[in-house]
Amino acid sequence: MNKWLLALVTVILVTVAACGGQDEETTEEQEVDSLAPLEVEVLMDEQIDTGENMLSTRVTQDGQPVEDASEVMFEVWQEGQKESSDMIEGNHVDDGLYEVSYTFEEEGVFYLVPHVTARDQHHMPQHDLVVGDSDVETATSDGHPHEHDHHSHTEDADERLSVEFEMVDDHMTTEVLFEGHELENADVTFEVWHIDNEDQRAWISASESAPGVYQAEFDEDTTGEHHVIIHIENDDLHEHIGEVFEY
């Protein structure tokens, strides 16, 4: 009888150990997956009508919908009026979809930026909108192109902001000064793409390696000319600075 009892206990212990090992493997896989960058896609046409519209974005990671974003805020402003932009909180629907209704009361060129914070990452892609029957060429004849106007949208901040960018040993490095002082503790993200593949963009969060100096590793197989948009944000600042580099 004791032999049977001993055998049974042995089987139970082996089973528990095996299950524990599987849990550790599953946890490890989940941790690896959590390192994948977020993908934030704006689900709107570039030309819309005035009136009520749905601001919509889908958030995914490693091909899977992100249902637990800690914050999704839609920022909307008309061209030349960044200082009076609207910030509206998005609502989670399902399948990684976040949206909220917004009314465009007049025609013109607008900009939409979903600020997405999820799983220790922050992304804020810009989407350009033409509202109503505005002629894009006419609306942008002042030298501000409608497509990919990613430079600073706040003239006063632009005069006070200094950004230097360079590639150093496969690392993107940018030094940010504001009013002559190092800008510390900012959220800095590099949006990068190859000149021949604009639709495939990488969003890389930078870490502050020294006061006002932000770095991120750049691991890319494609050589040649690349474009980068440096997204800089803190409680009082939200700027986009464009650069070009060879890799």
Side-chain angles (χ1 to χ4, degrees):
M1 185 68 176
N2 290 338
K3 292 183 178 180
W4 283 106
L5 180 60
L6 179 60
L8 178 60
V9 171
T10 302
V11 170
I12 293 174
L13 291 176
V14 171
T15 303
V16 170
C19 291
Q22 291 176 356
D23 291 341
E24 291 177 1
E25 292 177 1
T26 302
T27 301
E28 184 177 353
E29 291 176 358
Q30 292 173 345
E31 289 177 352
V32 172
D33 292 342
S34 70
L35 299 178
L38 292 180
E39 297 290 339
V40 180
E41 178 186 7
V42 176
L43 304 178
M44 295 183 67
D45 294 331
E46 292 188 353
Q47 186 145 9
I48 59 177
D49 295 327
T50 55
E52 186 176 357
N53 286 269
M54 191 64 71
L55 309 182
S56 181
T57 187
R58 175 165 282 115
V59 185
T60 59
Q61 184 182 44
D62 198 29
Q64 300 299 316
V66 173
E67 313 286 12
D68 59 351
S70 54
E71 184 179 62
V72 176
M73 299 290 295
F74 291 95
E75 182 179 15
V76 183
W77 71 93
Q78 190 168 7
E79 185 176 39
Q81 301 180 26
K82 175 66 168 65
E83 66 281 358
S84 57
S85 64
D86 292 330
M87 294 288 287
I88 313 99
E89 184 174 2
N91 303 309
H92 175 240
V93 182
D94 58 18
D95 198 29
L97 182 65
Y98 298 81
E99 58 186 21
V100 67
S101 177
Y102 182 82
T103 299
F104 292 88
E105 297 181 351
E106 56 184 292
E107 299 181 345
V109 176
F110 286 76
Y111 301 96
L112 168 65
V113 175
H115 297 257
V116 178
T117 302
R119 301 175 183 178
D120 296 326
Q121 297 187 43
H122 180 76
H123 290 262
M124 47 184 189
Q126 179 174 298
H127 187 74
D128 303 343
L129 296 169
V130 177
V131 179
D133 296 327
S134 297
D135 185 341
V136 173
E137 294 183 358
T138 301
T140 62
S141 60
D142 60 354
H144 298 284
H146 165 61
E147 291 192 25
H148 313 301
D149 181 12
H150 296 287
H151 290 269
S152 171
H153 298 288
T154 307
E155 294 181 0
D156 292 341
D158 185 51
E159 294 175 357
R160 295 175 290 166
L161 189 70
S162 174
V163 178
E164 294 186 4
F165 173 86
E166 61 179 341
M167 288 290 297
V168 180
D169 297 331
D170 292 337
H171 281 78
M172 294 178 293
T173 301
T174 187
E175 181 177 5
V176 185
L177 301 178
F178 190 71
E179 296 183 335
H181 302 283
E182 292 86 359
L183 184 66
E184 299 183 55
N185 303 318
D187 290 325
V188 176
T189 305
F190 296 107
E191 178 186 0
V192 189
W193 69 94
H194 190 273
I195 188 174
D196 296 328
N197 197 3
E198 185 175 343
D199 293 333
Q200 296 294 322
R201 302 190 180 204
W203 290 80
I204 308 171
S205 297
S207 58
E208 190 170 7
S209 59
V213 178
Y214 299 85
Q215 286 188 330
E217 185 177 359
F218 183 69
D219 184 12
E220 174 64 56
D221 295 332
T222 307
T223 59
E225 183 176 314
H226 288 73
H227 289 227
V228 58
I229 299 169
I230 307 165
H231 297 263
I232 305 167
E233 184 175 16
N234 62 15
D235 292 339
D236 304 314
L237 189 70
H238 177 196
E239 298 299 317
H240 313 87
I241 308 298
E243 298 284 350
V244 179
F245 66 91
E246 291 285 338
Y247 181 74

